[in-house]
Amino acid sequence: MERRHARYPFLGDARRAVQEAGVDLVEVVREEDAVVERATERVTAAITDRDVGESVASDRVELLSYPVARVIVSLVDQNVCTRYYAEAEASRAAERFREDFGREDGRAAITRTALLREFDVGDAVTPRRDGGFLIGVAAYLRYASSLRGDEWRLVNRALDRGDVPVSEPELDDLLREAVEERVKEGLPLNIPDAIGDALDGAVASVTETLADLDLTTEIDTVVPDLFPPCMQHLLDAVQRGDHLAHHSRFALTAFLGNIGLSTDEIVELYEVNPGFGEEMTRYQTDHIKGESSPTEYTAPSCATMQAYGDCVNPDALCEHISHPLGYYEAKIDDADEEELEDWRDEREAE
């Protein structure tokens, strides 16, 4: 395990270094408190400060804290936690690789060329004489699709025989997005009970931090046209009068509650369904929203939606998202506020 691995723990060779060292994750989370503490700090700092905290002196502890942090994020399984954590890891990595790219003393831990190869886009990027770069359209779209701002839209770029011109800072922004996608890859993980039990304290600590900041209820705008494809599909099914399986009904109801709909508004949406029963619908909605239960449920993650067959018609943005709420947040953030028309305001005007 080298300093470079601890500095960039998302690299493929960092993962291989851990494997070659014969690290047993069960033993690590049970016996190495320093690793668990650093992993917990990574996640907590991501939530509170949009950072991953200060690195520790031990390369081994620093490196192993990364996979343990991803395990903690998986066990918490809250969209806002996953999103903030991935963003924080990517931001820290971007600070580091920009610093390394600018070094001229031969001590850089990584080069831009090596990082481009890491994400399989080395062949898609070529330098330009003006100091910028050309990047293939497919590679550009993969990482630019989640970036905010009209300047990233392909229609606003001058294509050069199938390549997109970008400046050096813009290419590094795309690499930052590649890191974020790598960090989120596979989350939430399927965690064995032996590991989950050993991390109960860490998970409880992160969950308490989330509750204190009340980050899971930050959306209060209802624009059905911006719903993720899975939720649009379920809502359309309800409106058509189709019968939804229990898991599908739970997913839609939890999502609608998470974005700010009241019980009355959710019940009203279900009224058009031929199998509608107001008393039962209201009871289930109140329970999911935490009105009649101790827990306000969050909509299932993308991995859970896929497992139950509710992931339908995924689009390009879905490839960069691990939770339906993350998709909706991204769409809301990217939309022009003046053009956003809340569904509830439209109904009041009718």
Side-chain angles (χ1 to χ4, degrees):
M1 299 183 192
E2 304 171 4
R3 172 180 170 273
R4 182 168 67 98
H5 299 147
R7 189 170 171 83
Y8 300 110
F10 55 83
L11 294 176
D13 64 350
R15 183 171 59 252
R16 287 189 291 273
V18 172
Q19 293 171 343
E20 290 170 3
V23 173
D24 185 330
L25 200 58
V26 176
E27 291 184 4
V28 169
V29 298
R30 283 178 175 172
E31 301 175 7
E32 300 192 38
D33 293 343
V35 173
V36 175
E37 288 174 8
R38 175 67 183 115
T40 305
E41 181 188 24
R42 290 183 97 108
V43 182
T44 303
I47 296 168
T48 57
D49 303 322
R50 308 300 188 269
D51 193 17
V52 291
E54 293 300 320
S55 301
V56 296
S58 168
D59 288 342
R60 185 180 190 281
V61 170
E62 186 68 11
L63 173 55
L64 293 182
S65 71
Y66 172 73
V68 174
R70 294 182 80 239
V71 169
I72 293 172
V73 169
S74 298
L75 291 167
V76 172
D77 197 16
Q78 293 279 358
N79 168 63
V80 69
C81 180
T82 302
R83 180 163 61 90
Y84 283 174
Y85 172 68
E87 289 174 355
E89 288 282 7
S91 294
R92 171 61 64 86
E95 290 177 7
R96 289 174 170 172
F97 67 59
R98 285 185 172 110
E99 177 185 330
D100 276 333
F101 294 167
R103 296 187 74 116
E104 298 180 354
D105 57 5
R107 299 176 60 187
I110 200 166
T111 64
R112 184 180 286 109
T113 299
L115 199 56
L116 288 169
R117 285 201 304 266
E118 174 74 22
F119 296 109
D120 297 325
V121 293
D123 292 340
V125 177
T126 54
R128 299 177 66 187
R129 292 181 179 178
D130 63 4
F133 297 86
L134 291 174
I135 179 171
V137 171
Y140 176 84
L141 290 175
R142 177 177 179 182
Y143 298 120
S145 61
S146 54
L147 286 167
R148 311 286 183 267
D150 288 342
E151 69 273 17
W152 292 103
R153 298 182 185 279
L154 188 59
V155 68
N156 294 325
R157 294 276 168 169
L159 286 178
D160 184 351
R161 289 175 291 184
D163 291 325
V164 183
V166 295
S167 66
E168 183 177 290
E170 286 175 334
L171 180 59
D172 292 346
D173 285 341
L174 294 174
L175 279 171
R176 184 209 168 281
E177 294 302 300
V179 173
E180 184 174 336
E181 180 182 287
R182 172 72 63 83
V183 174
K184 287 191 294 189
E185 186 177 352
L187 297 179
L189 306 168
N190 185 19
I191 309 300
D193 290 341
I195 295 177
D197 292 345
L199 291 173
D200 278 348
V203 172
S205 175
V206 172
T207 302
E208 183 177 353
T209 300
L210 281 170
D212 288 344
L213 295 178
D214 196 25
L215 293 172
T216 57
T217 56
E218 60 183 16
I219 308 175
D220 189 24
T221 305
V222 183
V223 185
D225 287 346
L226 301 184
F227 283 6
C230 56
M231 294 303 169
Q232 287 189 12
H233 173 77
L234 293 178
L235 184 59
D236 288 345
V238 168
Q239 301 290 292
R240 289 195 306 267
D242 295 347
H243 171 73
L244 292 186
H246 175 74
H247 54 80
S248 303
R249 190 182 182 94
F250 170 85
L252 178 61
T253 302
F255 176 83
L256 295 174
N258 293 157
I259 66 173
L261 263 67
S262 67
T263 295
D264 286 342
E265 290 165 337
I266 294 174
V267 169
E268 185 178 356
L269 285 173
Y270 281 107
E271 283 182 350
V272 298
N273 194 285
F276 172 74
E278 180 172 355
E279 184 176 351
M280 180 57 70
T281 302
R282 187 172 297 278
Y283 169 80
Q284 292 173 338
T285 302
D286 279 342
H287 182 80
I288 292 169
K289 284 176 57 64
E291 302 290 343
S292 60
S293 68
T295 303
E296 178 183 357
Y297 291 90
T298 301
S301 65
C302 292
T304 302
M305 296 290 283
Q306 291 168 0
Y308 281 106
D310 285 329
C311 178
V312 179
N313 305 322
D315 58 20
L317 180 57
C318 292
E319 297 179 6
H320 305 275
I321 297 295
S322 62
H323 199 287
L325 287 172
Y327 182 106
Y328 189 56
E329 287 171 331
K331 285 290 190 178
I332 291 292
D333 289 345
D334 200 35
D336 187 333
E337 289 188 13
E338 296 181 359
E339 296 179 359
L340 287 177
E341 295 187 28
D342 194 296
W343 168 81
R344 294 166 294 187
D345 295 336
E346 294 177 14
R347 293 182 69 86
E348 288 179 3
E350 291 178 357

